[in-house]
Amino acid sequence: NLLSTGYFLAIDFLPRKMKENKYEKRFDFQQKMIVRQSEQIEMLKSQIEKLKEECGRTAEKLKPDMPFGEWIDFWYKYFSSPKLRPTTQATYENRIYGHIIPSVGKIPLSKLTQNDLQQFYAKLKRTGRTVNVELKGTGVSDRMVRSCHALCRSSLEKAVEEGLITRNPSIGCKL
């Protein structure tokens, strides 16, 4: 029945050979259904307008000359994080806030080059470890470097889609 899903068909409310009172009840139900749906439509329209205003405000913050650290933070919070499980979020946060932003976060997004990222990956490989340095040395694993590269590549790809930069500088980096 379409009524249970919130939709109605006018055909369901055509006059049938029934008692007059029963038809009036159905007619009243139809009127209530129309009012309820129009109220929902108005509520949804107001919610959409609020979201448009919020998006407009965040779009003003997004500029090609913003630092890469601000962009990757914005990308993580609004595009990546909502789709991730808590353990994956913790891993991403460790890589973004512990390695990527401190190293290349101050470079403007429009001026970030493949060479900047290549130097970051090399430095990360040599001296990127911040915990257990005495036990494991100063360098990080290849997996950590690849993971940081994947985060940079994904965030920069979204920057290209948003029109902040023309090409992704992480493409072509040697790991």
Side-chain angles (χ1 to χ4, degrees):
N1 186 350
L2 291 175
L3 289 176
S4 63
T5 62
Y7 298 101
F8 72 92
L9 292 174
I11 237 168
D12 287 342
F13 298 102
L14 288 177
R16 298 185 211 159
K17 291 184 180 180
M18 298 181 170
K19 293 181 183 176
E20 193 171 321
N21 291 340
K22 194 166 187 179
Y23 175 73
E24 286 177 11
K25 287 180 184 174
R26 285 180 171 265
F27 185 74
D28 289 343
F29 177 74
Q30 179 189 13
Q31 294 298 329
K32 288 178 187 173
M33 185 73 155
I34 291 171
V35 169
R36 191 176 325 127
Q37 286 181 345
S38 65
E39 289 171 0
Q40 289 174 349
I41 288 170
E42 291 303 317
M43 182 183 67
L44 290 173
K45 283 181 180 178
S46 67
Q47 288 176 350
I48 288 171
E49 289 303 316
K50 287 178 186 175
L51 288 173
K52 282 182 180 178
E53 288 175 17
E54 288 177 17
C55 290
R57 279 189 231 125
T58 56
E60 292 171 5
K61 297 177 189 175
L62 302 179
K63 296 179 181 171
D65 58 343
M66 72 187 298
F68 177 60
E70 285 182 24
W71 166 251
I72 199 166
D73 177 56
F74 180 84
W75 168 82
Y76 171 71
K77 287 179 181 173
Y78 295 102
F79 295 112
S80 182
S81 178
K83 300 180 271 185
L84 301 174
R85 289 184 274 171
T87 53
T88 309
Q89 286 178 357
T91 303
Y92 277 29
E93 288 170 8
N94 173 35
R95 284 156 174 65
I96 291 171
Y97 301 113
H99 297 287
I100 297 172
I101 291 178
S103 297
V104 289
K106 290 182 176 64
I107 301 172
L109 190 58
S110 59
K111 297 194 185 322
L112 186 68
T113 64
Q114 184 177 358
N115 189 36
D116 294 329
L117 291 173
Q118 198 70 52
Q119 288 177 2
F120 161 62
Y121 300 143
K123 182 180 175 190
L124 185 65
K125 178 71 177 150
R126 283 191 321 272
T127 61
R129 186 173 306 279
T130 56
V131 181
N132 296 330
V133 177
E134 299 83 24
L135 290 172
K136 299 183 179 183
T138 58
V140 297
S141 67
D142 290 339
R143 180 180 179 195
M144 174 67 92
V145 175
R146 284 193 309 272
S147 177
C148 288
H149 171 68
L151 289 170
C152 290
R153 187 191 72 239
S154 296
S155 68
L156 290 167
E157 191 59 43
K158 188 64 177 174
V160 171
E161 288 175 20
E162 295 291 319
L164 297 174
I165 54 177
T166 55
R167 70 179 282 287
N168 187 342
S170 68
I171 295 175
C173 285
K174 306 278 190 252
L175 299 179

